[in-house]
């Protein structure tokens, strides 16, 4: 009889969003008249930019005729999209088109990237974090055993008030480091100087940084890098993940990409330094068949002048929401982080309340749903996350209730 | 320094299609006037059915407005599509909606399914075969070493003239068996009776069958099963992969699905029988974020009465091509297989010529490009594959040249 990948059953079920749904539903059934405002959601609410819809429709029409029909595309993405990506975001840093791999999203790529690494690598992950980093390393056998709420094999890098959410360099040896900036869930960032510390560390110690920049478009401050390749030497040690999901509202449309510079290498058993670009190309050409042509045309449209304006207006809308939330919470004396370069606001619970207790308080007393920070890792305990994705009128109503 | 997944560099580069391209290009540069007909291609050439384009455009328009916008969808696919799939193809066999997982294609799923199994499983693969089965098991560490053109850890199941392309049951123990019927590349099938032998074997020995039914829509004969679940007991031992690629021309649109019945189980270390449905759900919800909403609506449209008619007419067109190719080759005395329930025709080379030699002969003497069978595995040597995907006029012209 076949045997299963044992790591799968070591992973505790993620109760975070189902538990939120359960509590909201229970409260709603007891109080059917309460108008509940959802600020826990990490999904966009504004529609796709018109340029994207137009491009998708044009591409779909092309698929109707023999003369313009497209069958299998390149697994790594069409040249038109890779070219637009490089020209707009990476040319200044020497990134080339064959270093960009278009995919169906950053979740797939941050999850699948483990395929190209051996099981023996020591992995460091900031805490709190996007659960995919932890769970996929657990599935890949790199996390050891799950004991007392943490994985024995992972190196956790706490991000908390005492370090101002800037993780400290690991004490022991690590091979792979996940960094996500602007950060989900804390909304905090690293400045160029702070990120350079990590790039230099990776270069000195021979580590690879897996840099998740899905929220890059929300950056408003000048000293915050939009890509890790702004940092000298990053091209030798960093892989970067990008997404159109939060930028252009592609959460239901599905497109992202990963930058794997040819100069990023890892060791084979015989001591050879192997380019990870070659391995990721092999992984993608073997296990993936490219992104829908119409979706790639929609993504390309975000790089036109009009596309950039439309994307900018989506971002501005959400960041205005973030400002409103931040100001309201600060005005009632809460400790508030993030929300300046990211659509997430990370809030310390009052009176050392637990994340879930404060969640219950907000639900029952204010009719507001947030996300308990404990759901993102041990260091998230004592915090909740507010999301700026949502309708402005509802956000304003929520702040009225918070101030009441 | 990180270490790589060593299995990646054990895999020989797949030269098949690049070598074909190289030879065609070299010949063309010496003979620029020759009109070359490509019959090696495994990609569809007819455009998307109108119902699919219409549905995609309607869905794209919905994404333009707040009221109808869709963000993240369920990782396993929207209910509307899972429901249509079950109602049309699987209800008679007791398959339920939560046993269907919509994805971006059968290549991804047949590649990623290995994630849920341990490395220790013994894997059997028919020879010749779709290279993804072999390469992804090699990446996953289940193939051993590559020696003399084969992997030491895999069990190859030869399909050749002497067994009429019906693989024999393996002599030793195997845990996982890949079967693809109608077959790529041979175009051959198993009858219900022949497939039942495998289902019974899997039940007796406790193996799991990974059944790739991507070419199911091309079946024309009554005694050929469209799904493995037509066979009694298959629901306890088989996972089935399906695709809209060859059915409805979705090779560039990207949608497929995988059926994982809840009754298919594998062992954990403590001897528990774990449902693979639960593990695949975990895999997909952790490493995948669903298929583009517009693409799922396009797939759904293939199940409307008009959609079925349009899909049928695509299949009929290609199968008429297949008939033309078969008859031409038979009329010149070739040994011809497939092409009755599949868009591929598998042809024995004349005079024991090697696959590549016959490829060169057809290219240089007839201006026809086929695919050398040796590229699909050792048992493919001495055969070439003709594809029925293509423009009828070109297919007819090719047969004129063959008969000349």
């Amino acid at each position: 009889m076949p045997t299963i990948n044992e790591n799968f059953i070591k992973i505790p079920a993620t109760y975070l969003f189902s538990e939120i749904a359960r509590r909201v539903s229970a409260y709603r059934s007891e109080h059917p008249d309460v108008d509940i405002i959802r600020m826990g959601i990490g999904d966009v609410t504004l529609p796709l930019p018109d340029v994207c819809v137009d491009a998708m429709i044009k591409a779909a029409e092309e698929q109707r005729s023999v003369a313009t029909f497209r069958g299998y595309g390149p697994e790594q993405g069409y040249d038109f999209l890779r070219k637009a990506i490089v020209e707009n975001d990476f040319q200044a840093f020497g990134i080339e088109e064959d270093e960009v791999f278009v995919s169906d999203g950053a979740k797939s790529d941050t999850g699948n990237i483990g395929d190209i690494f051996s099981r023996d690598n020591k992995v460091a992950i900031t805490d709190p974090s996007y659960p995919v980093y932890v769970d996929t390393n657990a599935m890949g056998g790199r996390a050891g055993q799950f004991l007392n709420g943490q994985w024995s094999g992972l190196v956790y890098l706490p991000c908390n008030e005492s370090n101002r959410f800037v993780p400290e360099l690991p004490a022991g040896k690590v091979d792979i480091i996940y960094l996500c900036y602007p950060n989900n869930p804390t909304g905090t960032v690293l400045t160029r100087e702070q990120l350079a510390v990590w790039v230099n560390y990776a270069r000195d110690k021979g580590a690879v940084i897996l840099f998740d920049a899905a929220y890059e478009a929300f950056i408003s401050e000048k000293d915050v890098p939009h890509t890790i390749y702004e940092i000298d030497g990053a091209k030798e040690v960093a892989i970067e993940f990008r997404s159109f999901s939060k930028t252009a509202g592609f959460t239901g449309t599905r497109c992202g990409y990963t930058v794997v510079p040819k100069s990023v290498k890892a060791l084979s058993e015989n001591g050879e330094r192997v380019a990870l670009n070659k391995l990721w190309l092999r992984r993608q050409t073997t296990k993936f068949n490219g992104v829908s042509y119409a979706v790639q045309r929609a993504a390309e449209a975000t790089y036109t002048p009009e596309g950039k304006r439309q994307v900018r207006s989506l971002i501005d809308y959400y960041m205005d929401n973030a400002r409103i939330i931040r100001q309201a919470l600060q005005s009632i004396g809460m400790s508030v982080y993030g929300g300046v370069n990211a659509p997430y606001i990370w809030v310390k619970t009052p009176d050392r309340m637990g994340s879930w207790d404060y969640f219950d308080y907000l639900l029952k007393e204010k009719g507001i749903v947030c996300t308990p920070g404990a759901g993102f890792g041990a260091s998230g305990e004592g915090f909740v996350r507010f999301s700026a994705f949502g309708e402005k009128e509802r956000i304003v109503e929520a702040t009225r209730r918070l101030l009441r």
Side-chain angles (χ1 to χ4, degrees), chain A residues 187-253:
Chain A
T188 60
V189 292
L190 296 185
T191 62
R192 248 170 231 103
E193 208 174 326
Q194 288 166 334
L195 185 54
V197 171
W198 283 92
V199 170
N200 292 334
Y201 172 85
R203 292 171 63 88
D204 288 351
K205 307 285 184 182
V208 162
I209 297 174
L210 302 180
F211 191 75
D212 187 346
Y215 294 93
E216 163 276 327
F218 295 88
I219 293 170
S220 68
E221 293 181 318
K222 285 232 166 86
D223 57 346
V224 179
H226 285 252
T227 161
I228 194 168
Y229 305 116
E230 289 185 35
I231 312 301
D232 279 345
K235 253 183 71 178
E236 278 75 51
V237 294
I239 289 173
E240 182 164 304
F241 304 94
R242 291 281 192 106
S243 171
F244 295 95
S245 285
K246 309 300 164 83
T247 313
F250 270 48
T251 52
T253 300

Coordinates of all heavy atoms in Angstrom, one line a residue, chain A residues 187-253:
Chain A
G187 N 2.2 44.9 8.6 CA 2.2 46.2 7.9 C 3.5 47.0 8.0 O 3.6 48.1 7.5
T188 N 4.5 46.4 8.7 CA 5.7 47.2 8.9 C 6.7 47.0 7.7 O 6.5 46.1 6.9 CB 6.4 46.7 10.2 OG1 6.7 45.3 10.1 CG2 5.5 47.0 11.4
V189 N 7.8 47.8 7.7 CA 8.7 47.7 6.6 C 10.1 47.6 7.1 O 10.4 47.9 8.3 CB 8.6 48.9 5.6 CG1 7.3 48.9 4.9 CG2 8.7 50.2 6.4
L190 N 11.1 47.4 6.2 CA 12.5 47.6 6.5 C 12.9 48.7 5.6 O 12.6 48.8 4.4 CB 13.3 46.3 6.2 CG 13.1 45.0 7.0 CD1 14.1 44.0 6.6 CD2 13.1 45.3 8.5
T191 N 13.7 49.6 6.2 CA 14.4 50.6 5.3 C 15.5 50.0 4.5 O 15.8 48.8 4.7 CB 15.0 51.7 6.2 OG1 16.0 51.1 7.0 CG2 14.0 52.4 7.1
R192 N 16.0 50.8 3.5 CA 17.1 50.3 2.7 C 18.2 49.8 3.6 O 18.8 48.7 3.3 CB 17.5 51.4 1.7 CG 17.2 51.0 0.3 CD 17.5 52.2 -0.6 NE 16.3 52.4 -1.5 CZ 15.3 53.3 -1.3 NH1 15.5 54.2 -0.4 NH2 14.3 53.3 -2.1
E193 N 18.5 50.6 4.6 CA 19.6 50.3 5.5 C 19.4 49.0 6.2 O 20.3 48.2 6.4 CB 19.8 51.5 6.4 CG 21.1 51.7 7.0 CD 21.1 53.0 7.8 OE1 20.4 54.0 7.5 OE2 21.9 53.1 8.8
Q194 N 18.2 48.9 6.7 CA 17.8 47.7 7.5 C 17.8 46.4 6.6 O 18.2 45.3 7.1 CB 16.5 47.8 8.2 CG 16.5 48.8 9.3 CD 15.1 49.3 9.8 OE1 14.2 49.3 9.0 NE2 15.1 49.7 11.0
L195 N 17.4 46.5 5.4 CA 17.4 45.4 4.5 C 18.8 45.0 4.1 O 19.1 43.8 3.9 CB 16.5 45.6 3.3 CG 16.3 44.5 2.3 CD1 15.8 43.2 3.0 CD2 15.4 44.8 1.1
A196 N 19.6 46.1 3.9 CA 21.0 45.8 3.6 C 21.7 44.9 4.6 O 22.6 44.1 4.3 CB 21.8 47.1 3.4
V197 N 21.3 45.1 5.9 CA 21.9 44.2 6.9 C 21.7 42.8 6.6 O 22.6 41.9 6.7 CB 21.3 44.6 8.3 CG1 21.7 43.6 9.4 CG2 21.7 46.0 8.7
W198 N 20.5 42.5 6.1 CA 20.1 41.1 5.8 C 20.8 40.6 4.5 O 21.3 39.5 4.4 CB 18.6 41.0 5.6 CG 18.0 40.9 7.0 CD1 17.5 42.0 7.7 CD2 17.8 39.8 7.8 NE1 17.0 41.6 8.9 CE2 17.2 40.2 9.0 CE3 18.1 38.4 7.7 CZ2 16.9 39.4 10.1 CZ3 17.8 37.6 8.7 CH2 17.2 38.1 9.9
V199 N 20.9 41.5 3.5 CA 21.6 41.1 2.3 C 23.1 40.8 2.6 O 23.7 39.8 2.2 CB 21.5 42.2 1.2 CG1 22.4 41.9 0.0 CG2 20.0 42.3 0.8
N200 N 23.7 41.7 3.4 CA 25.1 41.5 3.8 C 25.3 40.2 4.6 O 26.3 39.4 4.4 CB 25.7 42.7 4.5 CG 25.7 43.9 3.6 OD1 25.9 43.8 2.4 ND2 25.6 45.1 4.2
Y201 N 24.4 40.0 5.5 CA 24.4 38.7 6.3 C 24.4 37.5 5.4 O 25.1 36.6 5.5 CB 23.2 38.7 7.3 CG 23.1 37.4 8.0 CD1 23.8 37.1 9.2 CD2 22.2 36.4 7.5 CE1 23.7 35.9 9.8 CE2 22.1 35.2 8.2 CZ 22.8 35.0 9.3 OH 22.7 33.8 10.0
A202 N 23.4 37.5 4.4 CA 23.3 36.4 3.5 C 24.5 36.2 2.7 O 25.0 35.1 2.4 CB 22.0 36.6 2.6
R203 N 25.1 37.3 2.3 CA 26.4 37.2 1.5 C 27.5 36.6 2.3 O 28.3 35.8 1.9 CB 26.8 38.5 0.9 CG 25.8 39.0 -0.2 CD 26.1 40.5 -0.6 NE 27.4 40.6 -1.2 CZ 27.6 40.4 -2.5 NH1 26.6 40.1 -3.3 NH2 28.8 40.6 -3.0
D204 N 27.6 37.1 3.6 CA 28.7 36.7 4.4 C 28.5 35.2 4.8 O 29.5 34.4 4.8 CB 28.7 37.5 5.8 CG 29.2 38.9 5.6 OD1 29.7 39.2 4.4 OD2 29.0 39.7 6.5
K205 N 27.3 34.8 5.1 CA 27.1 33.4 5.6 C 26.7 32.5 4.5 O 26.6 31.3 4.8 CB 26.0 33.5 6.7 CG 26.1 34.5 7.8 CD 27.2 34.0 8.8 CE 27.3 35.0 9.9 NZ 28.3 34.6 10.9
G206 N 26.5 33.0 3.3 CA 26.1 32.0 2.2 C 24.7 31.6 2.3 O 24.4 30.4 2.1
A207 N 23.8 32.4 2.7 CA 22.4 32.1 2.8 C 21.6 32.7 1.6 O 22.2 33.5 0.9 CB 21.7 32.6 4.1
V208 N 20.4 32.2 1.4 CA 19.6 32.7 0.3 C 18.4 33.4 1.0 O 17.8 32.8 1.9 CB 19.1 31.6 -0.7 CG1 17.9 32.0 -1.5 CG2 20.3 31.2 -1.6
I209 N 18.0 34.5 0.5 CA 16.8 35.2 1.0 C 15.7 35.0 0.0 O 15.8 35.3 -1.2 CB 17.1 36.8 1.2 CG1 18.2 37.0 2.2 CG2 15.8 37.5 1.5 CD1 18.6 38.4 2.3
L210 N 14.5 34.6 0.5 CA 13.3 34.5 -0.3 C 12.5 35.7 0.1 O 11.9 35.7 1.2 CB 12.6 33.1 0.0 CG 13.4 31.9 -0.3 CD1 12.6 30.6 0.1 CD2 13.9 31.9 -1.7
F211 N 12.4 36.7 -0.8 CA 11.9 38.0 -0.4 C 10.5 38.1 -1.1 O 10.3 38.2 -2.3 CB 12.8 39.1 -0.9 CG 12.5 40.4 -0.4 CD1 12.8 40.8 0.9 CD2 11.9 41.4 -1.3 CE1 12.5 42.1 1.4 CE2 11.6 42.7 -0.8 CZ 11.9 43.0 0.5
D212 N 9.5 38.2 -0.2 CA 8.1 38.3 -0.7 C 7.7 39.8 -0.7 O 7.6 40.5 0.3 CB 7.2 37.6 0.3 CG 5.7 37.5 -0.2 OD1 5.4 38.3 -1.2 OD2 5.0 36.7 0.3
A213 N 7.6 40.4 -1.9 CA 7.3 41.8 -2.1 C 5.9 42.0 -2.6 O 5.6 43.0 -3.4 CB 8.4 42.4 -3.0
A214 N 4.9 41.2 -2.2 CA 3.6 41.2 -2.8 C 2.9 42.6 -2.5 O 2.0 43.0 -3.3 CB 2.7 40.1 -2.2
Y215 N 3.3 43.3 -1.5 CA 2.7 44.5 -1.1 C 3.5 45.7 -1.5 O 3.3 46.8 -1.0 CB 2.4 44.5 0.4 CG 1.4 43.4 0.8 CD1 1.8 42.2 1.1 CD2 0.0 43.7 0.6 CE1 0.8 41.2 1.4 CE2 -1.0 42.7 0.9 CZ -0.5 41.5 1.3 OH -1.5 40.5 1.6
E216 N 4.5 45.6 -2.4 CA 5.4 46.6 -2.8 C 4.7 47.9 -3.2 O 5.1 49.0 -2.9 CB 6.3 46.1 -3.8 CG 7.1 47.0 -4.7 CD 6.3 47.6 -5.9 OE1 5.4 46.9 -6.4 OE2 6.5 48.8 -6.2
A217 N 3.6 47.8 -3.9 CA 2.9 48.9 -4.5 C 2.3 49.9 -3.4 O 2.0 51.0 -3.7 CB 1.8 48.5 -5.4
F218 N 2.2 49.4 -2.2 CA 1.6 50.2 -1.1 C 2.7 51.1 -0.4 O 2.3 51.9 0.4 CB 0.9 49.3 -0.1 CG -0.2 48.6 -0.7 CD1 -0.1 47.4 -1.3 CD2 -1.5 49.2 -0.6 CE1 -1.2 46.7 -1.8 CE2 -2.6 48.5 -1.2 CZ -2.4 47.3 -1.8
I219 N 3.9 51.0 -0.8 CA 5.0 51.8 -0.2 C 4.8 53.3 -0.5 O 4.6 53.7 -1.6 CB 6.4 51.3 -0.7 CG1 6.7 49.9 -0.2 CG2 7.5 52.3 -0.2 CD1 7.9 49.2 -0.8
S220 N 4.9 54.1 0.6 CA 4.7 55.5 0.4 C 6.0 56.3 0.8 O 6.2 57.4 0.4 CB 3.5 56.1 1.1 OG 3.7 56.0 2.5
E221 N 6.8 55.7 1.6 CA 8.0 56.4 2.2 C 9.2 56.1 1.3 O 9.5 55.1 0.8 CB 8.2 55.9 3.6 CG 7.1 56.4 4.5 CD 7.3 56.0 6.0 OE1 7.8 54.9 6.2 OE2 7.1 56.8 6.9
K222 N 10.1 57.2 1.2 CA 11.2 57.2 0.3 C 12.3 56.2 0.7 O 13.0 55.7 -0.2 CB 11.8 58.6 0.2 CG 10.9 59.6 -0.6 CD 11.8 60.3 -1.6 CE 10.9 61.0 -2.7 NZ 10.5 62.4 -2.2
D223 N 12.5 56.0 1.9 CA 13.7 55.2 2.3 C 13.3 53.7 2.4 O 14.1 52.9 2.9 CB 14.3 55.7 3.6 CG 13.3 55.7 4.7 OD1 12.0 55.6 4.4 OD2 13.7 55.7 5.9
V224 N 12.1 53.3 1.9 CA 11.7 51.9 1.9 C 11.9 51.3 0.5 O 11.4 51.9 -0.5 CB 10.2 51.8 2.3 CG1 9.8 50.3 2.2 CG2 10.0 52.4 3.6
P225 N 12.7 50.3 0.4 CA 13.0 49.7 -1.0 C 11.8 49.0 -1.6 O 11.1 48.3 -0.9 CB 14.1 48.7 -0.7 CG 14.0 48.3 0.7 CD 13.4 49.5 1.4
H226 N 11.6 49.2 -2.9 CA 10.5 48.5 -3.5 C 10.8 47.1 -4.0 O 10.0 46.3 -4.1 CB 10.0 49.3 -4.8 CG 9.2 50.6 -4.4 ND1 7.9 50.7 -4.6 CD2 9.6 51.7 -3.8 CE1 7.5 51.9 -4.2 NE2 8.5 52.5 -3.7
T227 N 12.1 46.9 -4.2 CA 12.6 45.5 -4.5 C 13.9 45.3 -3.8 O 14.6 46.3 -3.5 CB 12.8 45.4 -6.0 OG1 13.7 44.3 -6.2 CG2 13.4 46.6 -6.7
I228 N 14.1 44.1 -3.4 CA 15.4 43.8 -2.7 C 16.6 44.0 -3.6 O 17.7 44.3 -3.1 CB 15.4 42.3 -2.1 CG1 16.5 42.2 -1.1 CG2 15.5 41.3 -3.3 CD1 16.4 40.9 -0.3
Y229 N 16.4 44.1 -4.9 CA 17.5 44.3 -5.8 C 18.0 45.7 -5.8 O 19.0 46.1 -6.4 CB 17.2 43.8 -7.2 CG 16.8 42.4 -7.2 CD1 15.5 42.0 -7.6 CD2 17.6 41.4 -6.7 CE1 15.1 40.7 -7.5 CE2 17.2 40.0 -6.6 CZ 15.9 39.7 -7.0 OH 15.5 38.4 -6.9
E230 N 17.3 46.6 -5.1 CA 17.8 48.0 -4.8 C 19.1 47.9 -3.9 O 19.9 48.8 -3.9 CB 16.8 48.8 -4.1 CG 15.6 49.3 -5.0 CD 14.7 50.2 -4.3 OE1 15.1 51.1 -3.5 OE2 13.5 50.1 -4.5
I231 N 19.2 46.8 -3.2 CA 20.3 46.6 -2.3 C 21.5 46.0 -3.0 O 21.4 45.0 -3.6 CB 19.9 45.7 -1.1 CG1 18.6 46.1 -0.5 CG2 21.0 45.7 0.0 CD1 18.5 47.6 0.0
D232 N 22.7 46.6 -2.9 CA 23.9 46.1 -3.5 C 24.1 44.7 -3.1 O 24.1 44.3 -1.9 CB 25.1 46.9 -3.1 CG 25.2 48.2 -3.9 OD1 24.5 48.3 -4.9 OD2 26.0 49.1 -3.5
G233 N 24.4 43.9 -4.1 CA 24.7 42.5 -3.8 C 23.5 41.5 -3.7 O 23.7 40.3 -3.6
A234 N 22.3 42.1 -3.7 CA 21.2 41.2 -3.5 C 21.0 40.2 -4.6 O 20.5 39.1 -4.5 CB 19.9 42.0 -3.3
K235 N 21.5 40.6 -5.8 CA 21.3 39.8 -7.0 C 22.1 38.5 -6.8 O 21.8 37.5 -7.6 CB 21.8 40.5 -8.2 CG 20.8 41.0 -9.2 CD 21.3 41.6 -10.4 CE 21.9 40.6 -11.4 NZ 22.4 41.3 -12.6
E236 N 23.0 38.4 -5.9 CA 23.7 37.1 -5.7 C 23.0 36.2 -4.6 O 23.4 35.1 -4.5 CB 25.2 37.4 -5.3 CG 26.1 37.7 -6.4 CD 25.9 39.1 -7.0 OE1 25.9 40.0 -6.1 OE2 25.7 39.2 -8.2
V237 N 22.1 36.8 -3.9 CA 21.6 36.0 -2.7 C 20.0 36.0 -2.6 O 19.5 35.4 -1.7 CB 22.2 36.5 -1.4 CG1 23.7 36.2 -1.3 CG2 21.9 38.0 -1.2
A238 N 19.3 36.7 -3.5 CA 17.9 36.9 -3.2 C 17.0 36.5 -4.4 O 17.3 36.8 -5.6 CB 17.6 38.3 -2.8
I239 N 15.9 35.8 -4.1 CA 14.8 35.5 -5.0 C 13.7 36.4 -4.5 O 13.4 36.5 -3.3 CB 14.5 34.0 -4.9 CG1 15.6 33.2 -5.6 CG2 13.1 33.7 -5.6 CD1 15.4 31.7 -5.4
E240 N 13.0 37.0 -5.5 CA 11.9 37.9 -5.1 C 10.6 37.5 -5.7 O 10.5 37.1 -6.9 CB 12.2 39.4 -5.5 CG 11.1 40.4 -5.1 CD 11.6 41.8 -5.2 OE1 12.6 42.1 -4.6 OE2 10.9 42.6 -5.9
F241 N 9.5 37.5 -4.9 CA 8.2 37.1 -5.3 C 7.3 38.4 -5.4 O 7.3 39.2 -4.5 CB 7.5 36.2 -4.3 CG 8.3 34.9 -4.0 CD1 9.2 34.9 -2.9 CD2 8.3 33.8 -4.9 CE1 10.0 33.8 -2.7 CE2 9.0 32.7 -4.6 CZ 9.9 32.7 -3.6
R242 N 6.6 38.5 -6.5 CA 5.7 39.6 -6.8 C 4.3 39.1 -7.2 O 4.2 38.0 -7.7 CB 6.3 40.5 -7.9 CG 7.5 41.3 -7.5 CD 7.2 42.5 -6.7 NE 8.4 43.4 -6.6 CZ 8.5 44.5 -7.3 NH1 7.5 45.0 -8.0 NH2 9.6 45.2 -7.1
S243 N 3.4 40.0 -7.1 CA 2.0 39.6 -7.4 C 1.2 40.7 -7.9 O 1.4 41.9 -7.5 CB 1.3 39.1 -6.1 OG 0.0 38.9 -6.2
F244 N 0.3 40.4 -8.8 CA -0.7 41.5 -9.2 C -1.9 41.5 -8.4 O -2.9 42.3 -8.6 CB -1.1 41.2 -10.7 CG 0.1 41.4 -11.7 CD1 0.8 40.3 -12.1 CD2 0.5 42.6 -12.1 CE1 1.9 40.4 -13.0 CE2 1.6 42.8 -13.0 CZ 2.3 41.7 -13.4
S245 N -2.0 40.6 -7.4 CA -3.2 40.4 -6.6 C -3.6 41.7 -5.8 O -4.8 42.1 -6.0 CB -3.0 39.3 -5.6 OG -3.1 38.0 -6.2
K246 N -2.7 42.2 -5.1 CA -3.1 43.3 -4.2 C -2.8 44.7 -5.0 O -3.4 45.7 -4.7 CB -2.2 43.3 -2.9 CG -2.3 42.0 -2.2 CD -3.8 41.6 -1.8 CE -3.9 40.1 -1.4 NZ -3.5 39.7 -0.1
T247 N -1.9 44.6 -6.0 CA -1.7 45.8 -6.8 C -2.8 46.2 -7.6 O -3.3 47.3 -7.6 CB -0.5 45.5 -7.7 OG1 0.5 44.8 -6.9 CG2 0.1 46.7 -8.4
A248 N -3.3 45.2 -8.4 CA -4.3 45.5 -9.5 C -5.6 44.7 -9.3 O -6.4 44.6 -10.2 CB -3.7 45.2 -10.9
G249 N -5.7 44.2 -8.0 CA -7.0 43.5 -7.7 C -7.1 42.1 -8.4 O -8.2 41.7 -8.7
F250 N -6.0 41.4 -8.6 CA -6.0 40.1 -9.3 C -6.2 38.9 -8.4 O -5.9 37.8 -8.8 CB -4.6 39.9 -10.0 CG -4.6 40.5 -11.4 CD1 -5.0 41.8 -11.7 CD2 -4.1 39.7 -12.4 CE1 -5.0 42.3 -13.0 CE2 -4.0 40.3 -13.7 CZ -4.5 41.5 -14.0
T251 N -6.8 39.1 -7.2 CA -6.9 37.9 -6.3 C -7.7 36.8 -6.9 O -7.5 35.7 -6.7 CB -7.5 38.3 -4.9 OG1 -8.7 39.1 -5.1 CG2 -6.5 39.2 -4.1
G252 N -8.7 37.2 -7.7 CA -9.6 36.2 -8.4 C -9.2 36.0 -9.8 O -9.8 35.2 -10.5
T253 N -8.2 36.7 -10.3 CA -7.8 36.7 -11.7 C -6.5 35.8 -11.8 O -6.3 35.1 -12.8 CB -7.6 38.1 -12.3 OG1 -8.8 38.8 -12.2 CG2 -7.1 38.1 -13.7

